Amino acid sequence: MINENKLAIKLVGVDVCFYIQENGFVSLKQLVFNIGKHKFLQKKFVLKNINLEIKKGESVALFGKNGSGKSTLLRVLSQIIEAEKGSVEIYGNVSPLLSLGVGLEYELTGVENIRLVCALMGISQNEVDKLIPEIIDFSELAEAINWQVKRYSTGMMARLAFSIAIAKQPDILLIDEVLAVGDAGFQLKCLSKIEEINNNGATIIFVSHSIQEAKSICSKGVLVNNGTIEFIGDIEEVGKLYSELF
């Protein structure tokens, strides 16, 4: 349920920049002789003047072409990336489900990854012990849970990552396109779980190139283009604007 008076997320004037090398040098000698002659780093804005408020309990889809800044915005919200300018206020615990494999240690087994990621999420060891059977059951990985993650297919990694992210009811759930790699049956299972989490009061931020998938989860949309927010509104209207970009 949406709480009209309380915010889950508030961003004001947020800029995120990357610095890329403008001129490459193949040797130390070349670098020394070119000092002062070239700009070594070029500043590139990935997000520019982002202003966004999301209420507790809202389900919001981020739309935009590849490279528009959607994933960077999710990383700002998950506090993986720090804004160069502006303020980022997050109210509640965040459970991020970002690019496939992010946060998983490939040399560890599935069970070992569950313990590691849950610890990083601030879940106590006693709670983890209780959650492990539920995580394994939801993931449907069976005996593969004891394999090293480097032996997993992309679909298996998606199953493990999602099952860990939703193991404990989060205040804010961030999802970045990872459901696309799972099989159809597991995708439906995940969508049903996301709806349940949202109905229990969590805020959902969902990135997907599938308008229909986003509509099945979200009631509100945000259109991101060239690092800026172009439009915020009803999911139908934003989905239509997004489709017109192509």
Side-chain angles (χ1 to χ4, degrees), residues 2 22 107 111 225 229:
I2 297 173
E22 193 175 60
E107 294 298 324
V111 170
N225 194 28
I229 291 179

Side-chain angles (χ1 to χ4, degrees), residues 194-212:
I194 291 168
E195 184 178 3
E196 177 188 326
I197 290 170
N198 187 225
N199 289 338
N200 287 336
T203 303
I204 309 292
I205 314 295
F206 185 71
V207 172
S208 174
H209 286 293
S210 169
I211 297 175
Q212 287 305 122

Side-chain angles (χ1 to χ4, degrees), residues 138 140 159 162 178-196 206 212-213 216-217:
F138 191 92
E140 302 174 2
R159 285 171 176 269
F162 185 86
V178 295
L179 299 186
V181 300
D183 59 69
F186 192 71
Q187 285 182 31
L188 290 174
K189 185 177 178 179
C190 290
L191 292 173
S192 176
K193 186 64 178 179
I194 291 168
E195 184 178 3
E196 177 188 326
F206 185 71
Q212 287 305 122
E213 187 177 57
S216 70
I217 296 173

Side-chain angles (χ1 to χ4, degrees), residues 150-164:
K150 67 181 180 182
R151 309 295 182 196
Y152 283 14
S153 66
T154 55
M156 292 166 74
M157 281 192 279
R159 285 171 176 269
L160 179 62
F162 185 86
S163 301
I164 296 172

Side-chain angles (χ1 to χ4, degrees), residues 135-153:
I135 294 171
I136 296 172
D137 180 62
F138 191 92
S139 71
E140 302 174 2
L141 287 172
E143 70 274 4
I145 201 69
N146 294 309
W147 299 356
Q148 288 178 301
V149 167
K150 67 181 180 182
R151 309 295 182 196
Y152 283 14
S153 66

Side-chain angles (χ1 to χ4, degrees), residues 43 99 116 129 146 197 219:
K43 188 175 183 178
S99 299
L116 174 62
D129 289 338
N146 294 309
I197 290 170
S219 58

Side-chain angles (χ1 to χ4, degrees), residues 9-81:
I9 294 165
K10 183 176 181 179
L11 277 61
V12 180
V14 168
D15 289 354
V16 173
C17 302
F18 291 158
Y19 292 86
I20 58 176
Q21 186 173 305
E22 193 175 60
N23 299 98
F25 297 98
V26 296
S27 68
L28 180 60
K29 178 181 177 181
Q30 186 181 8
L31 174 63
V32 171
F33 277 99
N34 279 277
I35 288 177
K37 297 180 181 179
H38 298 275
K39 290 170 62 179
F40 292 106
L41 295 176
Q42 181 183 18
K43 188 175 183 178
K44 177 178 174 59
F45 281 96
V46 183
L47 295 175
K48 179 66 175 176
N49 194 31
I50 299 295
N51 296 287
L52 180 64
E53 290 188 356
I54 297 175
K55 294 182 177 69
K56 290 186 176 180
E58 281 192 309
S59 52
V60 181
L62 299 183
F63 290 112
K65 290 182 176 181
N66 289 334
S68 62
K70 307 184 303 298
S71 295
T72 300
L73 181 54
L74 280 195
R75 281 159 175 73
V76 170
L77 297 178
S78 61
Q79 299 179 306
I80 294 173
I81 294 177

